[in-house]
Amino acid sequence: MKTQVSRIVLGSLICLALLTTFSTSGAQPPTSSPPTEHLRLDVSEPPPPIPEPQMAPLRARALEPLPPGTGFIPPPMDLSHLTGQKMPKGAVPQALPDVFDWRNKDGNNYVSPVKNQGNCGSCYTFATIGNFEARLLIEGESLFDFSENNAKECNWRELNNFQYPNPGDYWGSCDGGNAFMLASLFSQKGTVLETCDPYQDSDVNCNPNCPYQKTLLDWRIISGDAVPSTQVLKQYIYDHGPVITSMYADSGQGFNGSYDGSYTFNYTVPPGNTNHAVLIVGWSNNLPPVPGGTDPADGWIVKNSWGTGWGDNGYFYITYGAANIGTSSSFIHDWQDYDVNGDIWYYDDDGWWGSWGYNNPTAWGLVKFIPPEDTKVTRVEFWTTDATTDIDVYIYDDFDGTTLSNLLASKENLSFDEAGYHSVALDSPLAVTAGDDVIAVVKFTNESYGYPIATDPHGTVETGRTYMSLSGSGWTDMGVTHNTDVAIRLRTSKGSVPTPNAIYLPLVLRNHPAPPPRWVIILSEDFEGPFPGSTWSVSDNDSNSGLYYWGKRDCRSSSGSFSAWSVGAGDTTLSCGNDYPNDVFAWMVYGPFSLADATAAELLFDWWSETELTYDMFFWGASIDGNEFWGSYVTGDWSSWTMGERLDLSNVYHLGNLLGEDEVWIAFVFGSDSSNTYEGSYVDNVVLRKQTGGGTRRSQSPPSLQRVLQPNQTMEFVGLRLSQAGIQTIR
């Protein structure tokens, strides 16, 4: 049995669970068999032969080479039965607005910043993680920046030298993928932060040492191999947030580096052809015209993963159904905080890879686990291959290969309106003992699809562990007979059971107290687009050695291809790696912006610096007059990227709390004296954000540097004046 530690969450707002009750036993579980209607046999007659399960056909289409900057590979299962023609459960019939955009929903932005996949076929990680980050914002949590690098390097296929579609075709981390792979990874383990595992657009090693943040519990498929109904897809976006989807990126139709957002894509390709994963965030009937047209276009607003310098600040527009957009649409539905005391037991290392059944909408799956320690089972988890009309879940104490006995728990009459990955919570954790087997049984009844059991043939296939049955009696050992594992899992925890997100109603229909304040992005700058443009003001206030400015360069970056180098522009263009000149006082300023309505605000960024110790410096700070800036400066050798540096604008050195100020500026400053030069300083991935609503939060203590300095490093709080010529700190 494979196990991975993961968080378990139970709890709030599980509307489907209101229809059922879950019973668990105490120290003496009742002895019981499966439902009797499945076991009535006349002992005077020989038992009927056990029906033989069949595997659903896989998709016939061969894989095509992926264009640069794409990376979507559809799963191997034929999902043509998932047509996307049915409205989401609980949706109220209504006329949707002509324009809807999750970047501006009731004045709030619920979409995380655009990122850049670079020269790597990892689009599926950006689309899936972008969906996860947006769902968290919609649910009132802070802005998370999860690691796409960890997702592409630490999934099962990359870690196990998976070969597909042919033997010898090794699956590299930049060779593409899909949301199925990440649903499996995030449910087995979880997401990690970008700051722990920064993105690299190449095949590198998995970093297994990052702490997990969120664990996936439920992921739902809107459409498989077909473009869904436009109205259905709009309703899902309206109810549940931005949607992961795929399309065919055709450079011959302008879907390339030249696109500037001035027109709306409107080209067709053969049905089913897709190669790129993106995130639909909304729609509009007032988009730029299609090529050759003059009237406003009607279509989707889509977040790409090619940086903010591409398209319209990283976004593009496309008419409904063009380029097969909408194919393979899905969304993350439920999750929990990662549980350090938790585990998950499973045999489907690679998740859902095949669908099995009896050409009948109903089939039973059984998985037997041997607990490695005393713990408590909290959830039963599984994949569904279609929308279901009935799901019944049982946990038994014994199974001898033929007969189940000692029923420990059951939960019946469930259903899920979408195929995907699902989690059923126990009302009370079920104690299990190390070495004493526990058996999870699930009866699946699909709406129509005759192959209800998801399986995985990859990794070490188990024998005597996973089984299928047509009726709940007469079991087929899938490892022995078909070399595959049934994909049913048990989630456990030795600690207190956490609370899941567990939202089962459309988000716009929920009536609960106002959510906590959400982050509103004021500025997001990854230096992949035009710089300084109208966003930044750059200057050099010391002209003794000529003028040198902060400039966009590809010398170093914490992610993507570019960052701002402290002497990247000016009278002379320096080559990457050159030392900075003497007598530079280079400023990069943004503002003014308002914090009048803010209850919290912060500046986040990545930085790298190498300067003369004590005499040359890199500074970041804030101002309320646009001239006198207060903050931190460093000198010496900081020549590795510091990720996620934070300036709390409610607690700025000397200035104190800036919340409530009508005008605020932030600045990055580099200064050198008249001797001894090094490479200088770099800044990347700048995010300036605020929260609004609720009471103002004020810091109670002055800011602290909280750094362990090396002998070749200094760091201090200081002030600088933009009006000064040359470095003169104020304290």
Short mmCIF file of all heavy atoms in Angstrom, two decimals, residues 109 121 168 337 351 595 640 647 662 672:
data_model
loop_
_atom_site.label_atom_id
_atom_site.label_comp_id
_atom_site.label_asym_id
_atom_site.label_seq_id
_atom_site.Cartn_x
_atom_site.Cartn_y
_atom_site.Cartn_z
N ASN A 109 -11.09 41.71 -7.33
CA ASN A 109 -10.36 40.86 -8.26
C ASN A 109 -10.14 39.50 -7.59
O ASN A 109 -9.48 39.41 -6.56
CB ASN A 109 -9.02 41.49 -8.63
CG ASN A 109 -8.22 40.61 -9.58
OD1 ASN A 109 -8.73 39.65 -10.15
ND2 ASN A 109 -6.94 40.92 -9.73
N GLY A 121 6.47 22.92 -21.74
CA GLY A 121 5.09 22.50 -21.98
C GLY A 121 4.33 22.26 -20.69
O GLY A 121 3.86 21.14 -20.43
N GLY A 168 9.74 3.76 -24.43
CA GLY A 168 10.90 4.57 -24.78
C GLY A 168 10.61 6.05 -24.89
O GLY A 168 11.54 6.85 -24.95
N ASP A 337 -7.15 22.38 4.38
CA ASP A 337 -5.78 22.66 4.78
C ASP A 337 -5.03 21.34 4.92
O ASP A 337 -5.59 20.32 5.34
CB ASP A 337 -5.74 23.41 6.11
CG ASP A 337 -6.23 24.84 5.99
OD1 ASP A 337 -6.18 25.38 4.87
OD2 ASP A 337 -6.67 25.39 7.00
N GLY A 351 -3.60 7.83 -10.51
CA GLY A 351 -4.98 8.30 -10.59
C GLY A 351 -5.80 7.51 -11.59
O GLY A 351 -5.67 6.30 -11.73
N LEU A 595 -4.58 54.19 -0.25
CA LEU A 595 -4.87 53.22 0.80
C LEU A 595 -5.98 53.76 1.71
O LEU A 595 -6.12 53.32 2.86
CB LEU A 595 -3.63 52.89 1.61
CG LEU A 595 -2.47 52.22 0.85
CD1 LEU A 595 -1.33 51.92 1.80
CD2 LEU A 595 -2.94 50.94 0.15
N SER A 640 21.86 35.29 -3.84
CA SER A 640 20.88 34.24 -4.13
C SER A 640 19.51 34.88 -3.96
O SER A 640 19.35 35.82 -3.17
CB SER A 640 21.04 33.03 -3.19
OG SER A 640 20.84 33.41 -1.85
N LEU A 647 6.99 44.04 2.59
CA LEU A 647 6.95 45.33 3.28
C LEU A 647 5.52 45.56 3.73
O LEU A 647 4.62 45.74 2.90
CB LEU A 647 7.42 46.46 2.35
CG LEU A 647 7.28 47.89 2.90
CD1 LEU A 647 8.12 48.08 4.16
CD2 LEU A 647 7.66 48.92 1.84
N ASP A 662 -4.38 58.84 1.50
CA ASP A 662 -4.90 59.02 0.14
C ASP A 662 -3.85 58.81 -0.92
O ASP A 662 -4.16 58.37 -2.04
CB ASP A 662 -5.48 60.44 -0.01
CG ASP A 662 -6.77 60.63 0.78
OD1 ASP A 662 -7.54 59.65 0.87
OD2 ASP A 662 -6.98 61.73 1.30
N SER A 672 25.59 53.46 -5.57
CA SER A 672 27.01 53.09 -5.47
C SER A 672 27.83 54.34 -5.22
O SER A 672 27.46 55.45 -5.62
CB SER A 672 27.47 52.40 -6.76
OG SER A 672 27.40 53.28 -7.88
#
